[in-house]
């Protein structure tokens, strides 16, 4: 077991590692700063779209996101994660300008399809680029904190910027989309400035060092072989579904119904959302506050159960208790995301197509979330919100311990023998997938002492 179980010094970061972290922070903040998010429904209504058209576009968006994930993950592993980030930023910049040029049903449909393409181009590549970049510089111990800090900064930017959207729209109605395009263009500058990782670095993943040889089908096959050879990785992906689904369903689908159920007026919803965002940002920036007495996998299981319990608790409390529980829910989400992301990255075999595997995880998360959203809509339509929350908590509390027991029965995959008769590039691919998976390390309790990027 590594020395992070006890207090020991983290390796000092090189200037290149600090630069990677700073540029990742800038990219994540600017790329995800969608100024139009709080007003896109009203904006589309003002453009003449009906509710059916607006929600129909949203359904198409989620389906498109899932369909784009695997091809874009494979592309990231083929052309390099840096190039994929640049492509995603270009697509996102263009996507945010479409409603300005064509404020119609077709324009908004193209806008959201392009948003799905841009986000899927970066969903696995961004994490792979950060993880492999720090690893190449010998600073992979700082990955957890870097991932959390980037998320926290992005959330903080939304808290600061979103209240300005209303006044800005009174001056220029199209300003939310223009500002979103400008932010995406800024993220392109960060992606262009990212340093290249030496292809020969043994720790660098396939998606970051640069373009790869072989075919798209071969890279996809390598990802599937990595999953088949590593039950540990597959189980971790399934384990993380609860954190993503519960947080997404609460923050997007159930946030307003829960508040309205307890008599909290719509005029206060913005303030509650801001408080939740602050709580999530603070927790995201400090995952090292979690005790090292539990393993990261145990923390993900425990945090998932805590999320479900917090949601169920909103059914029995008063308005102030509900707000407090929602803020606690947001903070738990903030802790959970970077820990889960580090677990998945640590579990990916060396040389395996990292961005493709991260895209597989995203598809699993969003696929389950899509099913949960349909179920949530049915419960809400029947007026059974409390039953939905309690049943969600019960299912989570049953499944998470079972998954955790399954994780304890398997260990990270060890090196496997290449398949007899494999030749050429296929042998190289099989060898890459067969590389040993590292034991996931404990949470870095002394990471708070590491120098800030």
């Amino acid at each position: 077991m590594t020395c992070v179980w006890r207090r020991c010094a983290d390796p000092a970061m090189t200037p290149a590692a600090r630069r990677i972290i700073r540029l990742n922070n800038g990219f994540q903040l600017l790329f995800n700063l969608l100024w139009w998010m709080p007003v896109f429904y009203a904006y589309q209504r003002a453009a003449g779209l009906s509710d059916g058209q607006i929600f129909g576009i949203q359904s198409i968006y989620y389906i498109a996101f899932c369909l784009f994930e695997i091809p874009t993950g494979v592309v990231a592993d083929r052309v390099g994660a840096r190039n994929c980030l640049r492509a995603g930023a270009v697509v996102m910049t263009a996507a945010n300008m479409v409603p300005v040029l064509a404020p119609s049903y077709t324009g908004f449909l193209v806008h959201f399809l392009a948003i799905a393409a841009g986000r899927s181009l970066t969903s696995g590549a961004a994490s792979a680029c950060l993880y492999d970049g720090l690893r190449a510089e010998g600073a992979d111990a700082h990955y957890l904190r870097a991932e959390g800090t980037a998320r926290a900064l992005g959330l903080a930017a939304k808290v600061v910027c979103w209240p300005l959207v209303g006044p800005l729209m009174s001056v220029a109605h199209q300003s939310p989309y223009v500002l979103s395009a400008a932010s995406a263009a800024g993220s392109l500058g960060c992606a262009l400035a990212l340093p290249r990782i030496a292809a020969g670095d043994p720790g660098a993943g396939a998606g970051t060092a640069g373009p790869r040889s072989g075919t798209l089908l071969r890279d996809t096959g390598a990802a599937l072989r990595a999953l088949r050879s590593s039950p540990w990785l597959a189980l971790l992906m399934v384990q993380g579904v609860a954190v993503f689904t519960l947080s997404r369903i609460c923050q997007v689908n159930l946030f307003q119904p829960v508040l309205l159920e307890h008599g909290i007026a719509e005029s206060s919803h913005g303030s509650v959302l801001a408080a939740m965002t602050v709580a999530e940002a603070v927790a995201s920036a400090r995952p090292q506050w979690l005790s090292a007495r539990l393993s990261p996998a145990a923390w993900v299981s425990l945090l998932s159960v805590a999320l479900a319990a917090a949601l169920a608790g909103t059914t029995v409390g008063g308005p102030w208790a509900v707000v407090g529980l929602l803020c606690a829910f947001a903070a738990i989400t903030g802790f959970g995301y970077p820990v889960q992301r580090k677990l998945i990255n640590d579990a990916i075999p060396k040389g395996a197509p990292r961005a493709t595997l991260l895209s597989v995880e995203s598809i699993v998360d969003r696929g389950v979330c899509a099913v949960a959203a349909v179920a949530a809509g049915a419960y809400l339509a029947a007026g059974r919100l409390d039953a939905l929350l309690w049943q969600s908590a019960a299912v989570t509390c049953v499944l998470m311990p079972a998954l955790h027991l399954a994780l304890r029965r398997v260990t990270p995959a060890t090196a496997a023998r290449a398949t007899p008769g494999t030749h050429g590039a296929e042998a190289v691919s099989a060898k890459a997938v067969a590389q040993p998976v590292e034991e996931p390390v404990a949470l870095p309790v002394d990471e708070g002492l590491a120098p800030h990027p």
Side-chain angles (χ1 to χ4, degrees):
M1 188 58 66
T2 61
C3 67
V4 292
W5 279 105
R6 56 186 184 274
R7 185 169 292 276
C8 59
D10 282 333
M13 283 192 289
T14 64
R18 292 176 181 275
R19 184 184 178 201
I20 290 170
I21 291 177
R22 286 195 298 267
L23 290 172
N24 177 72
N25 289 344
F27 180 88
Q28 297 284 9
L29 188 157
L30 294 169
F31 186 86
N32 295 301
L33 184 55
L34 303 177
W35 293 74
W36 48 262
M37 184 65 74
V39 297
F40 79 93
Y41 174 78
Y43 194 99
Q44 292 179 63
R45 287 292 301 270
L49 274 68
S50 67
D51 284 351
Q53 289 175 317
I54 293 172
F55 287 103
I57 290 174
Q58 289 298 298
S59 298
I60 294 172
Y61 164 76
Y62 283 115
I63 294 171
F65 203 120
C66 286
L67 293 176
F68 288 150
E69 274 291 340
I70 280 292
T72 53
V74 174
V75 168
D77 286 315
R78 289 273 296 152
V79 305
R82 288 190 316 153
N83 293 330
C84 216
L85 294 183
R86 295 167 183 174
V90 170
V91 172
M92 187 67 79
T93 302
N96 285 317
M97 288 302 297
V98 172
V100 176
L101 303 174
S104 62
Y105 173 81
T106 302
F108 284 111
L109 177 59
V110 172
H111 162 70
F112 273 102
L113 288 175
I115 291 288
R119 291 177 69 90
S120 62
L121 278 167
T122 64
S123 63
S127 183
C129 197
L130 175 64
Y131 188 86
D132 287 332
L134 292 181
R135 190 167 190 172
E137 295 296 325
D140 46 316
H142 296 269
Y143 169 79
L144 178 64
R145 183 173 186 173
E147 188 81 64
T149 298
R151 180 174 176 81
L153 290 174
L155 292 169
K158 293 173 182 177
V159 172
V160 173
C161 295
W162 280 352
L164 303 176
V165 173
L168 287 171
M169 285 187 69
S170 64
V171 176
H173 184 66
Q174 298 172 325
S175 59
Y177 289 93
V178 175
L179 288 171
S180 298
S183 297
S187 72
L188 175 59
C190 294
L192 290 171
L194 279 169
R196 179 182 176 84
I197 296 176
D201 177 64
T208 313
R212 299 181 61 190
S213 60
T215 64
L216 295 177
L217 184 60
R218 186 170 299 147
D219 285 341
T220 305
L224 295 177
R225 286 194 297 274
L227 281 175
R228 187 175 63 247
S229 65
S230 176
W232 172 261
L233 174 59
L235 282 172
L236 287 179
M237 288 184 176
V238 175
Q239 183 195 37
V241 167
V243 172
F244 182 89
T245 303
L246 289 172
S247 62
R248 184 75 177 177
I249 293 298
C250 174
Q251 294 171 349
V252 176
N253 300 98
L254 299 182
F255 167 70
Q256 286 189 305
V258 167
L259 294 182
L260 292 173
E261 181 79 8
H262 290 83
I264 300 175
E266 290 185 10
S267 59
S268 301
H269 290 188
S271 299
V272 176
L273 183 59
M276 290 175 62
T277 305
V278 170
E280 185 175 351
V282 171
S284 293
R286 289 294 180 267
Q288 69 272 12
W289 286 352
L290 300 176
S291 172
R293 294 182 179 180
L294 294 180
S295 68
W299 270 117
V300 172
S301 296
L302 184 60
L303 292 173
S304 299
V305 172
L307 284 174
L311 270 185
T314 61
T315 63
V316 296
W320 284 106
V322 168
V323 172
L325 284 169
L326 288 175
C327 289
F329 180 95
I332 296 168
T333 300
F335 282 129
Y337 268 120
V339 174
Q340 170 65 14
R341 182 61 61 176
K342 176 173 169 55
L343 261 177
I344 295 295
N345 271 296
D346 284 345
I348 293 176
K350 293 179 181 178
R354 185 177 302 278
T356 304
L357 287 166
L358 292 175
S359 291
V360 170
E361 182 203 16
S362 182
I363 287 177
V364 173
D365 289 342
R366 293 178 189 280
V368 174
C369 189
V371 174
V374 173
Y379 272 87
L380 288 174
R384 302 181 61 203
L385 176 60
D386 287 2
L388 169 65
L389 299 179
W390 279 108
Q391 289 176 20
S392 298
V395 170
T396 303
C397 290
V398 170
L399 290 182
M400 294 313 299
L403 277 172
H404 193 71
L405 287 175
L407 281 168
R408 290 177 63 88
R409 292 178 65 88
V410 299
T411 57
T414 55
R417 297 178 182 272
T419 303
T422 304
H423 302 285
E426 293 183 1
V428 174
S429 178
K431 183 178 179 181
V433 173
Q435 291 298 314
V437 179
E438 293 185 355
E439 283 280 351
V441 298
L443 297 178
V445 295
D446 55 334
E447 195 168 326
L449 302 178
H452 288 270

